[in-house]
Amino acid sequence: ENRGKRHELGDEHAVDAPEHPRVVATLDADLQRFLHLELESAVDEQAAALAMGIVVDVESGSVLAVDGVSASETSGFAPVRHVFTPGSTLKAVVMAIAHDADYVEPQESFATHAPHGIVLRHESGCSRHIREALGAPDEATVTAAVGLARSVNAVLVEIGLRVPAAMLRERL
């Protein structure tokens, strides 16, 4: 029995793990396949650059499926390769809050402010210029649904501004 035994490795030392490492998988193969097909469909139908999804059992916290599909060749697994700012990951939440509270309809049109972006001006005189990521649509307008699917900053900012700040804080 070598567990916990110290080994000499030249100038370095290693200690055997007290137990063999274990991995417990919670993935559901059928749900994983379904998620992949849905993400492929979303990329095709929405002309999205990338779609990622995760299915979590909210009671146990178990990850049941996780996947990512890109419109272009990529190396690596998208959900661990790509890092998005909290603003990007919260776009779906903002859209859901706005839609649930009847502040937006999926087929409603919004200006994309392409190619220059949108400038927000606060009553205090401060302003902020919000630009789009590479690959953003160059159409003048898109629907709210397309804005979400293609992660259009200007569209989701406009939708978010319709929702009272107190409601956003309460629901987040």
Side-chain angles (χ1 to χ4, degrees):
E1 187 66 38
N2 284 334
R3 287 194 191 126
K5 184 177 176 184
R6 187 178 169 126
H7 301 278
E8 299 293 326
L9 303 169
D11 291 338
E12 306 208 10
H13 304 282
V15 177
D16 286 329
E19 285 186 33
H20 294 291
R22 291 182 308 200
V23 175
V24 178
T26 58
L27 296 176
D28 176 311
D30 292 331
L31 192 54
Q32 182 72 33
R33 190 175 312 102
F34 174 79
L35 176 61
H36 184 79
L37 293 172
E38 288 298 310
L39 294 174
E40 278 185 333
S41 177
V43 167
D44 290 343
E45 290 173 15
Q46 301 298 325
L50 175 68
M52 294 188 289
I54 184 167
V55 180
V56 177
D57 180 325
V58 294
E59 290 184 21
S60 69
S62 297
V63 175
L64 304 176
V66 61
D67 203 358
V69 173
S70 178
S72 57
E73 286 277 329
T74 60
S75 62
F77 184 51
V80 296
R81 179 153 171 39
H82 295 282
V83 178
F84 291 92
T85 62
S88 290
T89 58
L90 282 175
K91 286 176 182 172
V93 176
V94 169
M95 177 68 160
I97 291 170
H99 184 260
D100 285 350
D102 294 325
Y103 287 103
V104 67
E105 288 300 320
Q107 297 310 315
E108 188 175 343
S109 288
F110 286 85
T112 62
H113 300 273
H116 304 293
I118 185 173
V119 177
L120 303 176
R121 297 192 195 312
H122 189 266
E123 58 208 27
S124 68
C126 297
S127 65
R128 180 166 180 196
H129 189 177
I130 300 188
R131 293 177 176 81
E132 298 297 336
L134 232 80
D138 51 10
E139 300 98 321
T141 62
V142 295
T143 65
V146 170
L148 177 61
R150 296 180 66 191
S151 195
V152 181
N153 293 332
V155 170
L156 273 296
V157 165
E158 290 183 63
I159 292 169
L161 289 171
R162 291 181 175 188
V163 181
M167 179 181 284
L168 283 173
R169 282 192 295 276
E170 175 187 305
R171 297 204 181 171
L172 292 175

